[in-house]
Amino acid sequence: MTQPLDSEMFAHCAPVRPPIRIGGKWTAKIVVCLTDAPRRFSELEAVLPGITPKVLTESLRAMERDGLVTRTAFDEHPPRVEYALTPLGRTLLRPIAVACQWTRMFIRERLP
């Protein structure tokens, strides 16, 4: 018989919604896209097959709200907007790399 779960196991966690939500389907991929330099929306869209403009917009807005990316609008004609990782967003690079490595190691076991 297994031990019952400790009712205090999350006592050290804040009782509110976390200020940052990491784990959306596209968040890690967007972070990786922004690793080397700021990128325009169209650049991100081009390398994320399957993402719709609406979902990319929603993802970028959520990441901006959570402090992971910055959005810079340039006063040009035509208008230009770039997205870049913040220092907080950069802290995700190592955990994402570890998750990717883990996936590469074990994905073969899940494939038919």
Side-chain angles (χ1 to χ4, degrees), residues 34-66:
L34 298 174
T35 298
D36 296 327
R39 302 289 178 183
R40 296 176 75 167
F41 186 93
S42 59
E43 291 179 281
L44 297 172
E45 191 176 29
V47 296
L48 296 170
I51 196 167
T52 64
K54 178 183 181 219
V55 170
L56 180 54
T57 298
E58 290 171 351
S59 298
L60 288 166
R61 284 182 182 161
M63 293 172 71
E64 183 181 14
R65 183 178 55 246
D66 292 341

mmCIF file of all heavy atoms in Angstrom, residues 34-66:
data_model
loop_
_atom_site.group_PDB
_atom_site.id
_atom_site.type_symbol
_atom_site.label_atom_id
_atom_site.label_comp_id
_atom_site.label_asym_id
_atom_site.label_seq_id
_atom_site.Cartn_x
_atom_site.Cartn_y
_atom_site.Cartn_z
ATOM 1 N N LEU A 34 13.871 33.213 -29.938
ATOM 2 C CA LEU A 34 14.371 34.536 -29.547
ATOM 3 C C LEU A 34 15.737 34.476 -28.864
ATOM 4 O O LEU A 34 16.242 35.497 -28.403
ATOM 5 C CB LEU A 34 13.357 35.216 -28.624
ATOM 6 C CG LEU A 34 11.982 35.494 -29.237
ATOM 7 C CD1 LEU A 34 11.024 36.022 -28.177
ATOM 8 C CD2 LEU A 34 12.091 36.449 -30.403
ATOM 9 N N THR A 35 16.360 33.314 -28.829
ATOM 10 C CA THR A 35 17.622 33.131 -28.126
ATOM 11 C C THR A 35 18.715 34.074 -28.607
ATOM 12 O O THR A 35 19.392 34.719 -27.813
ATOM 13 C CB THR A 35 18.117 31.674 -28.260
ATOM 14 O OG1 THR A 35 17.150 30.813 -27.666
ATOM 15 C CG2 THR A 35 19.458 31.484 -27.583
ATOM 16 N N ASP A 36 18.907 34.157 -29.921
ATOM 17 C CA ASP A 36 20.067 34.879 -30.458
ATOM 18 C C ASP A 36 19.831 36.353 -30.746
ATOM 19 O O ASP A 36 20.789 37.127 -30.768
ATOM 20 C CB ASP A 36 20.553 34.200 -31.741
ATOM 21 C CG ASP A 36 21.066 32.794 -31.473
ATOM 22 O OD1 ASP A 36 21.628 32.563 -30.378
ATOM 23 O OD2 ASP A 36 20.897 31.924 -32.342
ATOM 24 N N ALA A 37 18.582 36.722 -31.002
ATOM 25 C CA ALA A 37 18.321 38.106 -31.401
ATOM 26 C C ALA A 37 16.828 38.388 -31.346
ATOM 27 O O ALA A 37 16.015 37.463 -31.378
ATOM 28 C CB ALA A 37 18.822 38.338 -32.826
ATOM 29 N N PRO A 38 16.475 39.675 -31.290
ATOM 30 C CA PRO A 38 15.052 40.023 -31.406
ATOM 31 C C PRO A 38 14.525 39.567 -32.769
ATOM 32 O O PRO A 38 15.282 39.514 -33.748
ATOM 33 C CB PRO A 38 15.049 41.555 -31.312
ATOM 34 C CG PRO A 38 16.315 41.894 -30.625
ATOM 35 C CD PRO A 38 17.309 40.850 -31.062
ATOM 36 N N ARG A 39 13.249 39.235 -32.829
ATOM 37 C CA ARG A 39 12.635 38.753 -34.065
ATOM 38 C C ARG A 39 11.317 39.451 -34.307
ATOM 39 O O ARG A 39 10.614 39.839 -33.383
ATOM 40 C CB ARG A 39 12.384 37.242 -33.992
ATOM 41 C CG ARG A 39 13.612 36.412 -33.740
ATOM 42 C CD ARG A 39 14.503 36.394 -34.928
ATOM 43 N NE ARG A 39 15.703 35.614 -34.619
ATOM 44 C CZ ARG A 39 16.694 35.470 -35.442
ATOM 45 N NH1 ARG A 39 16.685 36.054 -36.621
ATOM 46 N NH2 ARG A 39 17.734 34.761 -35.087
ATOM 47 N N ARG A 40 10.988 39.547 -35.574
ATOM 48 C CA ARG A 40 9.701 40.094 -35.982
ATOM 49 C C ARG A 40 8.663 38.979 -35.957
ATOM 50 O O ARG A 40 8.984 37.796 -36.025
ATOM 51 C CB ARG A 40 9.813 40.717 -37.365
ATOM 52 C CG ARG A 40 10.770 41.906 -37.372
ATOM 53 C CD ARG A 40 10.962 42.454 -38.732
ATOM 54 N NE ARG A 40 9.758 43.219 -39.083
ATOM 55 C CZ ARG A 40 9.682 44.037 -40.110
ATOM 56 N NH1 ARG A 40 10.709 44.198 -40.918
ATOM 57 N NH2 ARG A 40 8.568 44.692 -40.366
ATOM 58 N N PHE A 41 7.406 39.382 -35.888
ATOM 59 C CA PHE A 41 6.295 38.437 -35.861
ATOM 60 C C PHE A 41 6.379 37.464 -37.034
ATOM 61 O O PHE A 41 6.243 36.253 -36.864
ATOM 62 C CB PHE A 41 4.968 39.222 -35.912
ATOM 63 C CG PHE A 41 3.741 38.381 -35.749
ATOM 64 C CD1 PHE A 41 3.181 38.190 -34.496
ATOM 65 C CD2 PHE A 41 3.131 37.784 -36.840
ATOM 66 C CE1 PHE A 41 2.035 37.424 -34.336
ATOM 67 C CE2 PHE A 41 1.994 37.018 -36.698
ATOM 68 C CZ PHE A 41 1.443 36.839 -35.429
ATOM 69 N N SER A 42 6.618 37.988 -38.239
ATOM 70 C CA SER A 42 6.653 37.139 -39.429
ATOM 71 C C SER A 42 7.793 36.130 -39.379
ATOM 72 O O SER A 42 7.670 35.013 -39.894
ATOM 73 C CB SER A 42 6.751 37.989 -40.701
ATOM 74 O OG SER A 42 7.913 38.792 -40.658
ATOM 75 N N GLU A 43 8.910 36.492 -38.755
ATOM 76 C CA GLU A 43 10.021 35.547 -38.611
ATOM 77 C C GLU A 43 9.623 34.392 -37.701
ATOM 78 O O GLU A 43 9.956 33.229 -37.977
ATOM 79 C CB GLU A 43 11.248 36.243 -38.024
ATOM 80 C CG GLU A 43 11.917 37.240 -38.929
ATOM 81 C CD GLU A 43 13.101 37.890 -38.240
ATOM 82 O OE1 GLU A 43 12.874 38.809 -37.421
ATOM 83 O OE2 GLU A 43 14.241 37.484 -38.530
ATOM 84 N N LEU A 44 8.942 34.711 -36.621
ATOM 85 C CA LEU A 44 8.490 33.674 -35.692
ATOM 86 C C LEU A 44 7.459 32.767 -36.364
ATOM 87 O O LEU A 44 7.540 31.538 -36.279
ATOM 88 C CB LEU A 44 7.902 34.299 -34.433
ATOM 89 C CG LEU A 44 8.871 35.121 -33.585
ATOM 90 C CD1 LEU A 44 8.117 35.854 -32.484
ATOM 91 C CD2 LEU A 44 9.964 34.247 -33.011
ATOM 92 N N GLU A 45 6.526 33.383 -37.033
ATOM 93 C CA GLU A 45 5.453 32.640 -37.696
ATOM 94 C C GLU A 45 6.027 31.664 -38.733
ATOM 95 O O GLU A 45 5.540 30.540 -38.876
ATOM 96 C CB GLU A 45 4.513 33.636 -38.357
ATOM 97 C CG GLU A 45 3.223 33.055 -38.856
ATOM 98 C CD GLU A 45 2.315 34.140 -39.408
ATOM 99 O OE1 GLU A 45 2.799 35.172 -39.914
ATOM 100 O OE2 GLU A 45 1.090 33.925 -39.333
ATOM 101 N N ALA A 46 7.069 32.071 -39.427
ATOM 102 C CA ALA A 46 7.643 31.259 -40.504
ATOM 103 C C ALA A 46 8.276 29.961 -40.006
ATOM 104 O O ALA A 46 8.304 28.967 -40.732
ATOM 105 C CB ALA A 46 8.675 32.073 -41.281
ATOM 106 N N VAL A 47 8.803 29.970 -38.778
ATOM 107 C CA VAL A 47 9.496 28.770 -38.285
ATOM 108 C C VAL A 47 8.678 27.964 -37.286
ATOM 109 O O VAL A 47 9.175 26.986 -36.720
ATOM 110 C CB VAL A 47 10.865 29.133 -37.659
ATOM 111 C CG1 VAL A 47 11.787 29.722 -38.698
ATOM 112 C CG2 VAL A 47 10.698 30.047 -36.467
ATOM 113 N N LEU A 48 7.433 28.356 -37.073
ATOM 114 C CA LEU A 48 6.548 27.633 -36.158
ATOM 115 C C LEU A 48 5.373 27.052 -36.944
ATOM 116 O O LEU A 48 4.253 27.563 -36.886
ATOM 117 C CB LEU A 48 6.056 28.569 -35.044
ATOM 118 C CG LEU A 48 7.139 29.117 -34.119
ATOM 119 C CD1 LEU A 48 6.575 30.215 -33.224
ATOM 120 C CD2 LEU A 48 7.753 28.006 -33.287
ATOM 121 N N PRO A 49 5.624 25.984 -37.695
ATOM 122 C CA PRO A 49 4.544 25.424 -38.501
ATOM 123 C C PRO A 49 3.374 24.969 -37.627
ATOM 124 O O PRO A 49 3.577 24.381 -36.579
ATOM 125 C CB PRO A 49 5.198 24.248 -39.215
ATOM 126 C CG PRO A 49 6.407 23.919 -38.432
ATOM 127 C CD PRO A 49 6.838 25.186 -37.756
ATOM 128 N N GLY A 50 2.202 25.308 -38.064
ATOM 129 C CA GLY A 50 1.002 24.910 -37.335
ATOM 130 C C GLY A 50 0.453 25.979 -36.423
ATOM 131 O O GLY A 50 -0.679 25.873 -35.961
ATOM 132 N N ILE A 51 1.227 27.015 -36.144
ATOM 133 C CA ILE A 51 0.711 28.082 -35.280
ATOM 134 C C ILE A 51 -0.076 29.063 -36.142
ATOM 135 O O ILE A 51 0.322 29.376 -37.262
ATOM 136 C CB ILE A 51 1.850 28.796 -34.515
ATOM 137 C CG1 ILE A 51 1.266 29.612 -33.352
ATOM 138 C CG2 ILE A 51 2.694 29.664 -35.433
ATOM 139 C CD1 ILE A 51 2.295 30.095 -32.347
ATOM 140 N N THR A 52 -1.182 29.506 -35.631
ATOM 141 C CA THR A 52 -1.980 30.501 -36.348
ATOM 142 C C THR A 52 -1.549 31.890 -35.890
ATOM 143 O O THR A 52 -1.006 32.040 -34.783
ATOM 144 C CB THR A 52 -3.484 30.325 -36.066
ATOM 145 O OG1 THR A 52 -3.718 30.570 -34.668
ATOM 146 C CG2 THR A 52 -3.959 28.923 -36.442
ATOM 147 N N PRO A 53 -1.783 32.910 -36.696
ATOM 148 C CA PRO A 53 -1.448 34.270 -36.257
ATOM 149 C C PRO A 53 -2.121 34.638 -34.934
ATOM 150 O O PRO A 53 -1.517 35.289 -34.078
ATOM 151 C CB PRO A 53 -1.940 35.150 -37.407
ATOM 152 C CG PRO A 53 -1.892 34.264 -38.605
ATOM 153 C CD PRO A 53 -2.253 32.892 -38.087
ATOM 154 N N LYS A 54 -3.357 34.196 -34.758
ATOM 155 C CA LYS A 54 -4.081 34.502 -33.522
ATOM 156 C C LYS A 54 -3.386 33.871 -32.309
ATOM 157 O O LYS A 54 -3.199 34.527 -31.284
ATOM 158 C CB LYS A 54 -5.516 33.978 -33.626
ATOM 159 C CG LYS A 54 -6.325 34.199 -32.366
ATOM 160 C CD LYS A 54 -7.713 33.612 -32.485
ATOM 161 C CE LYS A 54 -8.462 33.886 -31.197
ATOM 162 N NZ LYS A 54 -9.290 32.829 -30.752
ATOM 163 N N VAL A 55 -2.994 32.622 -32.432
ATOM 164 C CA VAL A 55 -2.351 31.934 -31.312
ATOM 165 C C VAL A 55 -0.963 32.519 -31.046
ATOM 166 O O VAL A 55 -0.566 32.682 -29.889
ATOM 167 C CB VAL A 55 -2.292 30.410 -31.568
ATOM 168 C CG1 VAL A 55 -1.426 29.703 -30.535
ATOM 169 C CG2 VAL A 55 -3.704 29.830 -31.571
ATOM 170 N N LEU A 56 -0.230 32.865 -32.096
ATOM 171 C CA LEU A 56 1.075 33.491 -31.896
ATOM 172 C C LEU A 56 0.918 34.826 -31.181
ATOM 173 O O LEU A 56 1.656 35.130 -30.236
ATOM 174 C CB LEU A 56 1.808 33.662 -33.233
ATOM 175 C CG LEU A 56 3.193 34.302 -33.159
ATOM 176 C CD1 LEU A 56 4.109 33.569 -32.189
ATOM 177 C CD2 LEU A 56 3.812 34.370 -34.551
ATOM 178 N N THR A 57 -0.052 35.606 -31.606
ATOM 179 C CA THR A 57 -0.319 36.891 -30.947
ATOM 180 C C THR A 57 -0.664 36.685 -29.482
ATOM 181 O O THR A 57 -0.128 37.368 -28.597
ATOM 182 C CB THR A 57 -1.466 37.637 -31.664
ATOM 183 O OG1 THR A 57 -1.066 37.910 -33.004
ATOM 184 C CG2 THR A 57 -1.825 38.930 -30.958
ATOM 185 N N GLU A 58 -1.555 35.744 -29.196
ATOM 186 C CA GLU A 58 -1.955 35.469 -27.816
ATOM 187 C C GLU A 58 -0.769 35.002 -26.980
ATOM 188 O O GLU A 58 -0.606 35.406 -25.824
ATOM 189 C CB GLU A 58 -3.066 34.420 -27.777
ATOM 190 C CG GLU A 58 -4.398 34.920 -28.296
ATOM 191 C CD GLU A 58 -5.427 33.813 -28.466
ATOM 192 O OE1 GLU A 58 -5.079 32.613 -28.344
ATOM 193 O OE2 GLU A 58 -6.592 34.148 -28.731
ATOM 194 N N SER A 59 0.061 34.137 -27.562
ATOM 195 C CA SER A 59 1.228 33.627 -26.844
ATOM 196 C C SER A 59 2.210 34.747 -26.532
ATOM 197 O O SER A 59 2.715 34.849 -25.407
ATOM 198 C CB SER A 59 1.924 32.534 -27.663
ATOM 199 O OG SER A 59 1.067 31.439 -27.871
ATOM 200 N N LEU A 60 2.492 35.580 -27.519
ATOM 201 C CA LEU A 60 3.420 36.694 -27.310
ATOM 202 C C LEU A 60 2.885 37.685 -26.284
ATOM 203 O O LEU A 60 3.630 38.181 -25.439
ATOM 204 C CB LEU A 60 3.722 37.395 -28.637
ATOM 205 C CG LEU A 60 4.613 36.608 -29.598
ATOM 206 C CD1 LEU A 60 4.570 37.219 -30.984
ATOM 207 C CD2 LEU A 60 6.037 36.520 -29.076
ATOM 208 N N ARG A 61 1.603 37.962 -26.323
ATOM 209 C CA ARG A 61 0.997 38.876 -25.339
ATOM 210 C C ARG A 61 1.096 38.307 -23.928
ATOM 211 O O ARG A 61 1.400 39.029 -22.974
ATOM 212 C CB ARG A 61 -0.459 39.163 -25.691
ATOM 213 C CG ARG A 61 -0.601 40.130 -26.837
ATOM 214 C CD ARG A 61 -2.057 40.424 -27.132
ATOM 215 N NE ARG A 61 -2.163 41.329 -28.267
ATOM 216 C CZ ARG A 61 -3.258 41.500 -28.984
ATOM 217 N NH1 ARG A 61 -4.372 40.842 -28.666
ATOM 218 N NH2 ARG A 61 -3.280 42.331 -29.993
ATOM 219 N N ALA A 62 0.820 37.013 -23.801
ATOM 220 C CA ALA A 62 0.918 36.377 -22.479
ATOM 221 C C ALA A 62 2.358 36.390 -21.983
ATOM 222 O O ALA A 62 2.625 36.676 -20.807
ATOM 223 C CB ALA A 62 0.384 34.949 -22.538
ATOM 224 N N MET A 63 3.294 36.117 -22.874
ATOM 225 C CA MET A 63 4.707 36.120 -22.493
ATOM 226 C C MET A 63 5.174 37.526 -22.122
ATOM 227 O O MET A 63 5.970 37.697 -21.196
ATOM 228 C CB MET A 63 5.554 35.530 -23.623
ATOM 229 C CG MET A 63 5.298 34.047 -23.848
ATOM 230 S SD MET A 63 6.125 33.412 -25.320
ATOM 231 C CE MET A 63 7.832 33.442 -24.775
ATOM 232 N N GLU A 64 4.651 38.525 -22.825
ATOM 233 C CA GLU A 64 4.981 39.912 -22.493
ATOM 234 C C GLU A 64 4.391 40.282 -21.129
ATOM 235 O O GLU A 64 5.065 40.875 -20.285
ATOM 236 C CB GLU A 64 4.460 40.857 -23.575
ATOM 237 C CG GLU A 64 4.817 42.302 -23.341
ATOM 238 C CD GLU A 64 4.273 43.239 -24.410
ATOM 239 O OE1 GLU A 64 3.405 42.844 -25.206
ATOM 240 O OE2 GLU A 64 4.720 44.400 -24.421
ATOM 241 N N ARG A 65 3.153 39.905 -20.912
ATOM 242 C CA ARG A 65 2.483 40.188 -19.633
ATOM 243 C C ARG A 65 3.233 39.527 -18.468
ATOM 244 O O ARG A 65 3.349 40.090 -17.388
ATOM 245 C CB ARG A 65 1.040 39.687 -19.703
ATOM 246 C CG ARG A 65 0.207 39.971 -18.481
ATOM 247 C CD ARG A 65 -1.223 39.482 -18.635
ATOM 248 N NE ARG A 65 -1.302 38.068 -18.979
ATOM 249 C CZ ARG A 65 -1.762 37.592 -20.148
ATOM 250 N NH1 ARG A 65 -2.187 38.404 -21.084
ATOM 251 N NH2 ARG A 65 -1.798 36.292 -20.387
ATOM 252 N N ASP A 66 3.778 38.327 -18.721
ATOM 253 C CA ASP A 66 4.498 37.596 -17.678
ATOM 254 C C ASP A 66 5.947 38.039 -17.530
ATOM 255 O O ASP A 66 6.670 37.537 -16.675
ATOM 256 C CB ASP A 66 4.454 36.093 -17.960
ATOM 257 C CG ASP A 66 3.046 35.513 -17.805
ATOM 258 O OD1 ASP A 66 2.203 36.152 -17.150
ATOM 259 O OD2 ASP A 66 2.804 34.411 -18.327
#
